[in-house]
């Protein structure tokens, strides 16, 4: 944070109050490293003098020597400087118990409502220091309805989540439901949603607007009809819970999906629960005009018809997401892959998404075709970065290769070796048949 000089304390105090926790660590690091700006460098005097400067007092409060910190704490207790309260709070979680105890006694009179409001972000950071639960207890005792909104709006994500967990008992049913339905942080939404569901409240509202994990839990409270109604939910967590509830009741989720209108959730669910007999239905939607429908149809076929030949044409799909899903479907299935056709798809005039998909599948075929593909693409303006990365990975494992390429492929690889440094070319020639 600062390596050459002590920061200006007025500017530091006017900034983010959480930085005082970093200040404590940085000053102690400077003490250990004996950095040139450190005021106590070269000696261990424990006498702060009659009127130490603010800089001396701030450094002493974070000193590596406990007696120095203790002396500074006593001075900070009567100081009106803006750094006094945050530094006292930092010492409240000191690793030395006597310093903790005296700091806690001295800081409490300084923590009126306005000071506590200003220190909320720092308290949230300091309570993570695994000393004891004093900071958490302080927060619980000092939190009032007037401070609640400030506490819930803290910038630090982890602290904000902790505050919501601590404050659920102070929030009304309506406020909890609002947070659980609209807050941008899904963890916060889950905290407030779970608080409501623990009381058995607002299950229907949370099923309609909560975070996926909360909607999944709400579904378990609403019975079989609700589960059937959410079989085609877009969220996989909700869909999985609905399927489990239908199965538990003795039903067949796939039978329900076959009767539903086509949607993303319907095709996803059919792929998750269907059989090989459902493959024609999924294959029909590989030509749907909506990319998300084509993508989910491929994903479903990976389970119900892993040898379907209908996916191959989607390597040239205009949607990169669909092309990537097609690559995942075809990986490890040499019977479905036409290597000459893949090489044609690497042509420079092809779209980058198509060329990238073809390169991925060529690398997947065998180790020598992988090497040939990487060598061929080392100078490609669009795919060179990926080729270089995979080429280096190939070299790291080349000594463990016990196969040889066909004579024609070996000749092609030999012709491409001038593209790599001589040392790497020698390593490859060593593995090629002679």
């Amino acid at each position: 944070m600062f390596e050459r000089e002590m920061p200006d304390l007025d500017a530091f105090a006017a900034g983010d109050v959480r930085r005082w926790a970093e200040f404590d660590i940085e000053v102690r690091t400077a003490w250990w490293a004996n950095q040139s700006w450190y005021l106590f460098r070269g000696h261990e005097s424990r006498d702060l003098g009659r009127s130490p400067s603010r800089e001396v007092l701030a450094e002493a409060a974070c000193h590596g020597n406990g007696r120095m910190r203790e002396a500074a704490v006593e001075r900070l207790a009567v100081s009106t400087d803006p750094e006094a309260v945050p530094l006292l709070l930092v010492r409240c979680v000191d690793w030395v118990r006597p310093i903790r105890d005296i700091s806690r006694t001295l800081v409490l009179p300084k923590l009126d409502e306005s000071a506590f409001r200003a220190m909320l972000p720092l308290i949230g950071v300091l309570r993570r220091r695994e000393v004891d639960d004093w900071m958490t207890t302080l927060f619980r005792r000092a939190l009032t309805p007037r401070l609640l909104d400030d506490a819930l709006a803290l910038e630090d994500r982890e602290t904000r989540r902790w505050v919501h967990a601590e404050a659920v008992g102070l929030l009304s049913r309506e406020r909890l439901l609002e947070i659980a339905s609209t807050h941008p942080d899904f963890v916060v939404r889950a905290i407030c949603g779970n608080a409501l569901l623990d009381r058995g409240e607002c299950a229907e509202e949370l099923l309609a607007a909560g975070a996926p994990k909360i909607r999944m839990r709400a579904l378990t409270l609403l019975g079989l009809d609700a589960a059937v109604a959410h079989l085609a939910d877009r969220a996989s967590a909700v869909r999985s819970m609905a399927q489990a509830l239908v199965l538990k009741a003795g039903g067949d989720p796939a039978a329900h999906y076959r009767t539903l209108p086509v949607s993303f959730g319907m095709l996803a669910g059919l792929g998750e629960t269907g059989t090989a007999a459902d493959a024609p239905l999924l294959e029909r939607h590989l030509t749907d005009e909506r990319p998300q429908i084509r993508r989910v149809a491929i994903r479903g076929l990976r389970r119900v018809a892993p040898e379907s030949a209908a996916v191959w044409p989607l390597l040239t799909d205009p949607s990169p997401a669909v092309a990537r899903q097609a690559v995942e479907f075809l990986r490890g299935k040499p019977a479905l892959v036409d290597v000459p056709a893949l090489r044609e798809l690497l042509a420079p005039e092809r779209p980058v998404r198509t060329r990238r998909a073809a390169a991925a599948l060529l690398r997947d075929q065998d180790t020598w075709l992988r090497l040939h593909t990487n060598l061929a693409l080392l100078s490609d303006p669009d795919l060179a970065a990926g080729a270089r990365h995979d080429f280096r990975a190939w070299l790291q494992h080349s000594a463990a290769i016990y196969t040889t390429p066909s004579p024609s492929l070996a000749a092609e690889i030999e012709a491409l070796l001038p593209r790599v440094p001589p040392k790497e070319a020698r390593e490859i020639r060593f593995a090629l048949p002679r």
Side-chain angles (χ1 to χ4, degrees):
M1 187 166 57
F2 42 90
E3 297 180 355
R4 294 185 175 87
E5 61 182 8
M6 166 74 82
D8 179 76
L9 289 181
D10 286 321
F12 201 81
D16 189 341
V17 71
R18 292 174 294 178
R19 293 195 299 168
W20 288 108
E22 301 173 21
F23 179 92
D24 176 46
I25 296 171
E26 290 287 342
V27 169
R28 194 152 50 256
T29 301
W31 173 70
W32 282 106
N34 206 25
Q35 291 183 11
S36 59
W37 60 266
Y38 188 59
L39 297 178
F40 292 100
R41 185 167 57 92
H43 64 86
E44 284 296 328
S45 172
R46 297 168 187 166
D47 183 10
L48 295 178
R50 181 170 298 178
S51 300
S53 67
R54 292 172 62 191
E55 289 76 14
V56 167
L57 193 55
E59 282 194 12
C62 306
H63 198 278
N65 186 296
R67 290 186 175 86
M68 187 72 79
R69 298 197 305 278
E70 186 176 21
V73 163
E74 294 171 353
R75 299 294 185 93
L76 288 170
V78 296
S79 172
T80 58
D81 293 321
E83 65 271 14
V85 174
L87 286 174
L88 280 172
L89 281 172
V90 169
R91 296 278 64 84
C92 286
V93 289
D94 197 281
W95 62 95
V96 178
R97 182 171 179 175
I99 298 176
R100 291 200 304 269
D101 292 343
I102 190 173
S103 300
R104 293 169 182 182
T105 300
L106 296 175
V107 77
L108 288 176
K110 290 178 170 285
L111 283 176
D112 55 22
E113 185 175 297
S114 62
F116 187 81
R117 178 182 284 107
M119 293 299 116
L120 274 173
L122 179 60
I123 291 171
V125 171
L126 293 178
R127 62 102 194 169
R128 300 174 200 165
R129 294 191 179 182
E130 297 180 359
V131 177
D132 54 26
D133 62 351
W134 187 85
M135 279 290 170
T136 299
T137 302
L138 172 68
F139 175 82
R140 290 172 179 169
R141 290 178 178 174
L143 187 62
T144 63
R146 288 189 296 182
L147 290 172
L148 189 58
D149 287 340
D150 290 319
L152 295 176
L154 289 173
E155 291 183 9
D156 183 76
R157 182 177 63 181
E158 185 177 342
T159 301
R160 187 173 60 246
R161 292 171 175 176
W162 169 69
V163 168
H164 278 82
E166 293 291 335
V168 288
L170 298 175
L171 297 171
S172 66
R173 176 181 181 274
E174 291 73 19
R175 183 73 182 278
L176 284 171
L177 180 59
E178 177 190 359
I179 296 172
S181 302
T182 63
H183 199 281
D185 187 337
F186 271 49
V187 173
V188 170
R189 291 173 73 172
I191 290 169
C192 294
N194 277 321
L196 287 169
L197 294 178
D198 286 343
R199 306 181 209 164
E201 298 177 353
C202 303
E204 293 183 359
E205 293 91 334
L206 290 170
L207 180 59
K213 289 184 178 180
I214 296 302
R215 297 179 60 223
M216 179 178 67
R217 186 181 170 198
L219 200 60
T220 65
L221 303 177
L222 293 174
L224 182 60
D225 289 343
V228 171
H230 286 80
L231 280 170
D233 199 278
R234 287 190 65 88
S236 61
V238 178
R239 208 165 51 242
S240 296
M241 179 57 70
Q243 293 164 7
L245 292 172
V246 171
L247 284 170
K248 185 178 179 180
D252 179 9
H256 287 281
Y257 285 121
R258 295 178 189 116
T259 65
L260 293 175
V262 173
S263 67
F264 177 90
M266 173 266 178
L267 290 174
L270 187 61
E272 292 159 354
T273 62
T275 66
D278 298 304
L281 176 59
L282 291 169
E283 288 174 346
R284 283 202 300 272
H285 290 92
L286 293 176
T287 57
D288 193 282
E289 62 181 10
R290 294 164 290 181
Q292 66 270 27
I293 295 295
R294 300 196 299 275
R295 176 169 57 86
V296 77
I298 298 173
R299 195 171 66 192
L301 286 169
R302 287 172 65 184
R303 178 184 171 275
V304 303
E307 300 302 321
S308 173
V311 175
W312 170 266
L314 277 81
L315 279 176
T316 59
D317 194 277
S319 166
V322 175
R324 285 194 297 269
Q325 196 64 237
V327 169
E328 291 305 312
F329 181 94
L330 293 166
R331 283 189 189 278
K333 300 171 185 174
L336 299 179
V337 174
D338 183 348
V339 171
L342 286 177
R343 287 188 172 186
E344 290 180 10
L345 293 180
L346 284 178
E349 63 271 15
R350 294 280 188 173
V352 174
R353 62 180 177 273
T354 300
R355 301 180 69 223
R356 186 172 287 118
L361 282 178
L362 283 168
R363 293 187 185 109
D364 187 62
Q365 297 310 298
D366 66 62
T367 189
W368 294 107
L369 198 52
R370 173 187 175 189
L371 173 62
H372 177 272
T373 301
N374 290 329
L375 291 173
L377 296 175
L378 283 176
S379 59
D380 188 276
D382 299 312
L383 305 181
R388 282 193 296 269
H389 177 80
D390 196 63
F391 175 66
R392 287 192 294 268
W394 186 94
L395 284 174
Q396 290 176 355
H397 301 282
S398 61
I401 296 173
Y402 298 100
T403 62
T404 56
S406 65
S408 59
L409 184 58
E412 292 181 34
I413 291 173
E414 178 67 41
L416 292 170
L417 289 182
R419 300 187 179 191
V420 301
K423 179 184 176 184
E424 295 171 349
R426 283 196 301 271
E427 290 183 35
I428 295 171
R429 286 193 180 99
F430 181 80
L432 288 173
R434 300 177 184 179

